[in-house]
Amino acid sequence: MFIRTALRGLITPLLLILGVAVITFLGVLGGDQVQTSLTEMLIRMVVVVGMWIFVGNSGVISFGHVGFMCIGGYAAAWATVDPNWKSIMLTGLPDFLQNGQYPFPYAVIGGAVLAAVVAIVLGAAIMRLSGIAASIATFAFLMIVNSVYSNWDSVTGGTSSIIGIPTVVGPWVAFAFAAGAILLAYAFKSSRFGLMLRATREDEVAAKASAINVFRVRLAAFVLSAGVVGVGGALWAHFLGVLTADSFYLSLSFITLSMLVVGGLGSLTGAVVGVVVVTIVVEVLRALEGGIALGKATLSLPPGSQEIGLGLVLALIMIFRPSGLTRGREFRLPWLQSRAGVVVSNTAPATGE
Amino acid sequence: MINFLQNLIDALSLGSLYALVALGIGLLFGILRLVNFAHGDFITIGAYSLILPSASVTATMVIGSWHWEALIPMVCVIVIIVAMATDILVFRPLRRSSAPTLMIASFAVSYMIQNGVLMIYGARPKAVNLWSALTTQINFYGLREPVLQLVTIATTIVLMVGLSLFLKRSRWGIQMRAAAEDFRMAQYLGVRGNFVIGLAFAVSGILAAAVSLLFLAQTGALSNVMGVPLALFAFVAVVVGGMGSLPGAVVGGFLVGIVTTMLQAYLPPDLRVFRDAFTFTFVIIVLLVRPAGLIPSRSIVERV
């Protein structure tokens, strides 16, 4: 009986990780092209699950999380790039970064910490705003990050990118981090803070009346979520080996948000499923843009159809299935369900007034 | 002094562009609680409607070569059609959705329009020469200003006065204000919801068309993301001014324009590249002091 209860608590993250493991295993068997897409997908999963910690639980949409990805990525790159190159190109770095070179794990931690610290400062300012105003303020944040990182030449290399980052992230490393992110996100969701934050999402006024400090719970989630997204940025840097500030802007923000919405904002399962589904849609469209041989003729879609297709999928999901593919429910095994029935915290966010 | 006056006119001219964009966004937000990211892309469409689709760098003007008396209404009509089409295709099925859902939907529309323009007109930015006569400078007691700056300010004033007369005096305008105040109550009293919303999209289309022409005459360049920075600055302006309040949107627009121009003029040269970062930091500071904006709207206060 005790084991059953413990299993019930952990079943969702374990099933999700198992599912992702199966996808990773199958993908690794494929060619280079498949492995690259797979790693990209797993890194995005870290980012999207990180975003979900804040967006999913609080119901406040954030356009700025890609900014944390940028911050985490650059911080990690500063740590691992060859000091000789840094001393020529990045003359403005502090001494310990300028002359030192650190192993990958430190770089990841550095990325997470810097992103989280920025989130504390930013969050202290904008978490006091109402939901919509806060969303737009996160936009302002994204533009600040983009403006600073693409112009601060002595530290970020400006528009010429940082190159020579060791490419140590492959599918299994990315998988390990994705699994970690899923566990962390689920732990947060099940915690006291997670429950309070979802209460503010369902009804802010009632939550306040129940003595929940909306500002504090939102800020806590924002910082944790920024840290996880920062890790995603660090992985991204060590997967591509090259960083440019412009790759962390509106397009990436759009793709990661659509992953969240397609899967369903209401559940962690939604975040994970959304990443997989959107990746498949994008890959299929990309293949079609490249051209597919049909007998003698080659059928190819014009450039731009990948993006339009993604937009279309997103719009259709929102119109016909507003709470996403998962309808805000978590994935679990029916025979392990509690007899008490519905768990209140798993209901989808209210979508109507 | 002359220098400062010149900067001030530049600031007012940029501010009036932002104010027009912010008005278009604020109008829809007031009625629909829609934060319309696609507004910037309405501007892009207005500008692209002047030329023929082609892959070359210099654009072939079609509507763009018409006389302005025919050109302006035509561009307005095209943008209005696009704006109302997005309403019917995307936002109408989402009428009962929450504000965050609408916001993401408009983000999707914006992304689709940008890439649609890319698909039809190609990825290359194009040079366009619209109303070059307007860039001649006039000399006014030592003050040299391009006519275009003054035209921009004047157009903005005319449009703002026109819009406020429309909202205050005309039957439809009053219905729109009633809908912004309390949408359901207005419907009970016989205001047709979809009609009023369609009208709001049309008005915001006219505002976007005006901005597209003024902006194009200034920059002379077309790109499929040309409207995005305008819309982003205008969003920030709407929030600073107070969401849901039209005077707030105008004040916010001018404020953001003035701050941007003054930072450009008076920041030390090494810091000038970070101008936008300073502007947005300033915005976040304003919001810290006044979370509801400079002119909070009464109807937006959340009722329990």
Side-chain angles (χ1 to χ4, degrees):
Chain A
M1 199 59 216
F2 170 74
I3 297 175
R4 247 190 128 148
T5 324
L7 254 183
R8 200 181 294 142
L10 275 174
I11 198 73
T12 303
L14 291 182
L15 281 178
L16 287 176
I17 292 172
L18 189 68
V20 177
V22 170
I23 296 174
T24 312
F25 184 72
L26 292 177
V28 170
L29 299 177
D32 278 354
Q33 180 61 46
V34 179
Q35 289 207 15
T36 308
S37 311
L38 175 73
T39 314
E40 199 179 351
M41 181 188 91
L42 291 167
I43 295 172
R44 282 190 178 157
M45 194 174 284
V46 175
V47 173
V48 173
V49 166
M51 281 169 76
W52 178 84
I53 293 177
F54 175 71
V55 177
N57 287 303
S58 72
V60 177
I61 305 292
S62 163
F63 297 96
H65 271 68
V66 169
F68 293 122
M69 199 179 163
C70 180
I71 291 172
Y74 271 91
W78 290 331
T80 56
V81 167
D82 182 6
N84 291 324
W85 189 83
K86 281 188 284 197
S87 63
I88 301 168
M89 296 299 293
L90 308 178
T91 48
L93 284 179
D95 219 30
F96 72 101
L97 285 175
Q98 176 84 259
N99 300 317
Q101 192 172 17
Y102 303 88
F104 171 66
Y106 290 108
V108 174
I109 295 171
V113 169
L114 188 61
V117 168
V118 174
I120 292 177
V121 177
L122 174 74
I126 66 175
M127 288 301 129
R128 294 176 199 281
L129 304 177
S130 77
I132 293 180
S135 297
I136 293 181
T138 62
F139 232 121
F141 167 68
L142 181 61
M143 295 178 74
I144 294 176
V145 171
N146 186 264
S147 159
V148 169
Y149 276 72
S150 46
N151 290 307
W152 198 356
D153 295 352
S154 63
V155 169
T156 64
T159 42
S160 62
S161 31
I162 291 192
I163 51 167
I165 308 164
T167 49
V168 293
V169 175
W172 288 110
V173 176
F175 165 75
F177 278 98
I182 291 172
L183 281 177
L184 187 66
Y186 200 77
F188 177 80
K189 181 184 176 172
S190 321
S191 73
R192 203 163 61 93
F193 269 90
L195 187 60
M196 289 197 289
L197 189 56
R198 282 198 302 287
T200 68
R201 176 189 77 189
E202 300 301 331
D203 191 332
E204 199 176 323
V205 178
K208 271 186 194 154
S210 320
I212 292 176
N213 184 334
V214 178
F215 169 71
R216 223 181 62 195
V217 291
R218 277 191 184 162
L219 183 60
F222 193 64
V223 172
L224 180 65
S225 142
V228 175
V229 173
V231 170
L235 295 175
W236 189 248
H238 288 84
F239 159 64
L240 287 180
V242 181
L243 274 186
T244 13
D246 277 343
S247 56
F248 302 99
Y249 207 39
L250 294 173
S251 252
L252 190 57
S253 197
F254 178 75
I255 291 176
T256 46
L257 265 181
S258 42
M259 287 171 164
L260 268 182
V261 175
V262 165
L265 278 178
S267 68
L268 177 58
T269 312
V272 175
V273 169
V275 173
V276 176
V277 170
V278 169
T279 305
I280 292 172
V281 170
V282 169
E283 289 299 323
V284 168
L285 288 169
R286 190 180 290 171
L288 285 177
E289 256 183 37
I292 278 192
L294 281 178
K296 278 180 188 165
T298 325
L299 174 79
S300 66
L301 296 175
S305 25
Q306 190 187 322
E307 288 80 5
I308 295 181
L310 183 58
L312 215 54
V313 168
L314 184 60
L316 289 175
I317 291 266
M318 274 188 297
I319 292 170
F320 295 108
R321 197 135 174 178
S323 42
L325 292 173
T326 60
R327 300 224 161 124
R329 283 191 297 251
E330 298 291 6
F331 187 44
R332 53 183 64 206
L333 298 172
W335 59 87
L336 277 170
Q337 283 290 333
S338 124
R339 291 238 176 76
V342 193
V343 182
V344 178
S345 59
N346 283 334
T347 49
T351 45
E353 291 288 311
Chain B
M1 188 61 202
I2 288 290
N3 211 346
F4 175 76
L5 275 180
Q6 226 146 19
N7 284 330
L8 189 68
I9 295 183
D10 287 349
L12 286 179
S13 145
L14 185 66
S16 48
L17 272 189
Y18 288 153
L20 284 181
V21 185
L23 263 182
I25 291 167
L27 196 66
L28 283 181
F29 183 80
I31 295 177
L32 207 54
R33 298 292 175 271
L34 163 66
V35 178
N36 188 15
F37 283 108
H39 193 81
D41 306 290
F42 294 167
I43 295 171
T44 309
I45 286 185
Y48 268 92
S49 69
L50 297 174
I51 63 163
L52 261 188
S54 77
S56 66
V57 183
T58 44
T60 324
M61 302 279 240
V62 181
I63 300 177
S65 58
W66 294 2
H67 191 253
W68 64 270
E69 284 166 346
L71 186 153
I72 294 173
M74 192 63 206
V75 172
C76 284
V77 167
I78 291 172
V79 180
I80 289 174
I81 290 173
V82 172
M84 291 178 79
T86 61
D87 176 38
I88 291 167
L89 293 175
V90 180
F91 298 118
R92 191 171 291 182
L94 290 172
R95 276 297 185 256
R96 301 186 60 79
S97 304
S98 64
T101 310
L102 284 174
M103 185 154 66
I104 295 182
S106 77
F107 203 32
V109 170
S110 152
Y111 200 62
M112 281 191 280
I113 295 181
Q114 278 166 29
N115 287 288
V117 169
L118 185 86
M119 198 188 259
I120 298 170
Y121 290 92
R124 269 194 198 162
K126 291 174 201 292
V128 162
N129 193 356
L130 180 73
W131 298 333
S132 47
L134 287 182
T135 47
T136 50
Q137 296 196 329
I138 52 167
N139 210 325
F140 187 76
Y141 295 108
L143 206 63
R144 278 202 310 277
E145 278 300 323
V147 185
L148 185 60
Q149 311 279 56
L150 305 177
V151 171
T152 306
I153 298 172
T155 313
T156 306
I157 294 172
V158 169
L159 280 172
M160 282 190 317
V161 171
L163 183 64
S164 81
L165 281 180
F166 171 75
L167 287 175
K168 292 239 162 72
R169 297 285 162 80
S170 79
R171 183 192 154 122
W172 290 350
I174 292 170
Q175 290 188 356
M176 273 169 76
R177 281 194 301 139
E181 194 79 21
D182 186 334
F183 194 74
R184 202 166 298 168
M185 191 62 200
Q187 277 187 308
Y188 290 146
L189 294 175
V191 172
R192 282 166 300 160
N194 279 337
F195 172 77
V196 168
I197 290 172
L199 200 62
F201 269 96
V203 174
S204 91
I206 293 175
L207 293 169
V211 173
S212 73
L213 294 174
L214 292 169
F215 188 61
L216 188 62
Q218 253 176 42
T219 61
L222 287 170
S223 107
N224 70 324
V225 290
M226 62 185 281
V228 174
L230 282 173
L232 290 181
F233 277 96
F235 275 124
V236 170
V238 169
V239 177
V240 168
M243 301 206 74
S245 137
L246 292 184
V250 173
V251 170
F254 275 108
L255 186 69
V256 170
I258 290 169
V259 169
T260 309
T261 317
M262 291 303 167
L263 284 173
Q264 175 72 28
Y266 295 110
L267 270 182
D270 348 334
L271 288 180
R272 217 166 271 168
V273 286
F274 301 114
R275 184 196 68 196
D276 292 354
F278 280 105
T279 310
F280 288 113
T281 312
F282 168 79
V283 160
I284 291 180
I285 293 170
V286 171
L287 287 179
L288 270 180
V289 184
R290 291 187 71 109
L294 296 172
I295 307 180
S297 137
R298 269 168 300 134
S299 64
I300 208 79
V301 178
E302 280 173 37
R303 277 164 285 218
V304 181

